[in-house]
Amino acid sequence: MAEAPSPPPHPLPCGNETIEVCITLPPKVNSAGIWENPTSPSEIFRSSLPVLEIEMLVVFFVTHLIYVILKPLGVTFFASQMFAGIMLGPAVLGRVHDKMFTKELDFGIIDSAATFGFAIFLFVMGVKMDFNMAFRTTRRATMIGIVSLLFPFVAGLIVYEAYKKPDEILTLRMERLMGITIESVTAFSVVAYLLSELKIVNSELGTTGSIIGIHKPIKGAHIVIIMMLAFLCGVFTHWHNESPFIGVFLFGCAVPDGPPLGSALVDKFECFVNGVFLPIYVTTSTMRVDPIVTVADPFARKFSFVFPILTFLAKFIFCFVASFWNMMPLRDSLAFALIMCSKGVVELAYFSSLRDNKMISNETLSVLALFILVKATVIPILVKYLYDPISRKYTGYQNRNLMHLKPNVELRILACIHRPEHVQALIDVLDITYPTKESPNFVYALHLIQLAGRASPIFIAHHENRAVGSFENFVAFNHYEQNNWGLVKVNAFTAISPPKLMHEDIFNMVLDKQISFILLPFHRKWCIEGSFEAENNVIRNLNRNVLDRAPCSIGILVDRRRKLSSFRSSSYFIGMLFIGGKDDREALTLAKRMARNPRVKLTVIHLFSENDRGNVKDWDTMLDAEILKGIKQNEVSNINYVGELSNNGTQTATIIRAIVDDFDLMIVGRRYRMDSIQTKGLTEWSEFPELGVIGDILSSSDLDTRVSVLVVQQHHVDVGRH
């Protein structure tokens, strides 16, 4: 028996029913307050602004409560917003929902705010898009993109033809074709959001290359003008019977991404839109979903169930085959295929807009929205299980430090730059390492820039294409290479990524280039006269992340600029403070390498206590004694050994203050969380734990000195933690 076609939707939202709508004119936006009429506090709910504020607070509280509960399971914030929408919808709350979320003319006050916020979201996403990337994609990426769009669409059309009936109405045909199209497309913003939330935006699956622009401030008036133009574009498309979202989004695409304009717009609006308006839009859109309707009559909804499943399978299978065929590892191919099948706010917005325009029914919207929720919940969990770039790279990774380097091999160093003033200070230290023909330096200079105004991270290899990006920060490194011709090789890179993921760029470089030593600048900046000027918490947090997980040894340079490249024209005095432990041994190994330069005068200050004399306690103590043996015997003429007795932290601090001005550079081990008699009582006053106790004293603003400090930590990462 043929299925009866569904009747066309009535042009009026309430059909032929007669309803009574009471509107207060002029409309009450602000209330007089609860204290103006204490006998009837419900009067406050007759004003639109208090109602909107309460509705927003309810959405905010429920959304974040669900996210806190589900986050340990791997559920994303977007999926939590959809769960909150179902819980706050009429399907669960019933009449409570109608009282909590009041509506006039079938449209709530909070819906207006959500729609306005989503328009700004689309504008920001348009600004962040770089359409030049489409012309720089590889052949593999192009093929996978075509496959991911073509085959799901074909599978959807096959299902459409199988369920097609000669007498079906035009509205039903349009509903099915629009659904197939939306399910076949992969939205870039959805993929970028998923990669960012899974913290793999800097991995092989997330990185891309692009051109960076110049950082220049944008006036506030320009921001206002651009936003007004964006809203005018939305009004223009609405006048021409198109969605206002289209005009806003296209205008955003026309705005140049990245700095200066794109970065300024994203900085102004992204946090507020993603934190306030977008959760409201997702939650209110999902309030329309009625899970009971989808199972009440599954036979009538069988097309809505079948085509999303088949399009998903087609996209997943062919994306997996295409990526695996192009030599991508098995687990990576599975994760990539799942990412390409992900759905999010863009698809939900499409379906909600089609429902508003009466192009799909409430039942179809419920089915498709539930499929989005299932994908948004399951796919991130599976991707996180399949793809873990750090743990994979750490597997079988050997110890990378200075002590384990063979005598006549090149020293591979990663020098990280944030600001122009870091360049010369890092080069000074690199020059002191004294590269030779037998043991040259291979330096990788990495300029780290905070991602702003773009949707995806950028990684630029300047030695492969010097015309790409800004190369002026690496001019000094070029001179360093030329001045040490044959002894130094420099490769320059730029990485633009979110601050919380900058350390991943460093780790990828270390693992890919087999680097043994990372050189990081300290987050504080000193003036030329020696006074403290400013600090950068982004740099400090990055240094902490690198110290916690880096797969090689690390040095943090605290630059107070007493001398600049003075060892080329005169003697350069280095002091190495040695107490004991693997970090101190690593620091001494670096100091001994520097002492190969005949212009360098190295003094090793050994701090020992009364209990240490002639007392070999453990393996660490034996290693300390062995590395100090040659220095005590004066095997190298320009290395001087000085022993100092210290039985507590106070004596150690006194010794440091007495000798610090005798040197141009002090090298110390981090010795983080290592207890010793010589540092007893100093930990309580530590300002920068990432430098260790001794490094913290030498870097303190209370210490009136111009000596620079290099704090060294040996590679000690436990692979199991990753």
Side-chain angles (χ1 to χ4, degrees), residues 31 68 113 144-145 195 207 303 307 310 349 356-357 401 410 420 522 611 632 651:
S31 69
V68 169
I144 293 175
L195 295 175
T207 51
F303 175 82
F307 91 84
L310 289 185
D356 291 336
N357 294 324
N401 53 55
E410 65 181 8
F522 192 51
N611 297 335
K632 289 181 179 180
Q651 293 181 4

Side-chain angles (χ1 to χ4, degrees), residues 699-712:
S699 307
S700 174
S701 55
D702 297 332
L703 188 64
D704 186 14
T705 182
R706 299 289 304 280
V707 65
S708 294
V709 184
L710 182 60
V711 180
V712 178

Side-chain angles (χ1 to χ4, degrees), residues 370-425:
L370 286 177
F371 271 107
I372 293 176
L373 177 58
V374 171
K375 294 176 184 178
T377 304
V378 176
I379 287 179
I381 298 175
L382 294 177
V383 171
K384 199 169 185 179
Y385 170 76
L386 291 170
Y387 188 73
D388 187 1
I390 297 299
S391 63
R392 180 185 60 190
K393 287 190 175 183
Y394 270 101
T395 304
Y397 191 73
Q398 60 181 332
N399 286 331
R400 284 268 169 199
N401 53 55
L402 301 177
M403 288 190 64
H404 289 84
L405 281 180
K406 295 180 180 179
N408 295 322
V409 297
E410 65 181 8
L411 175 60
R412 292 175 173 254
I413 303 176
L414 176 62
C416 299
I417 309 157
H418 296 274
R419 299 191 296 249
E421 61 265 21
H422 295 154
V423 174
Q424 190 57 54

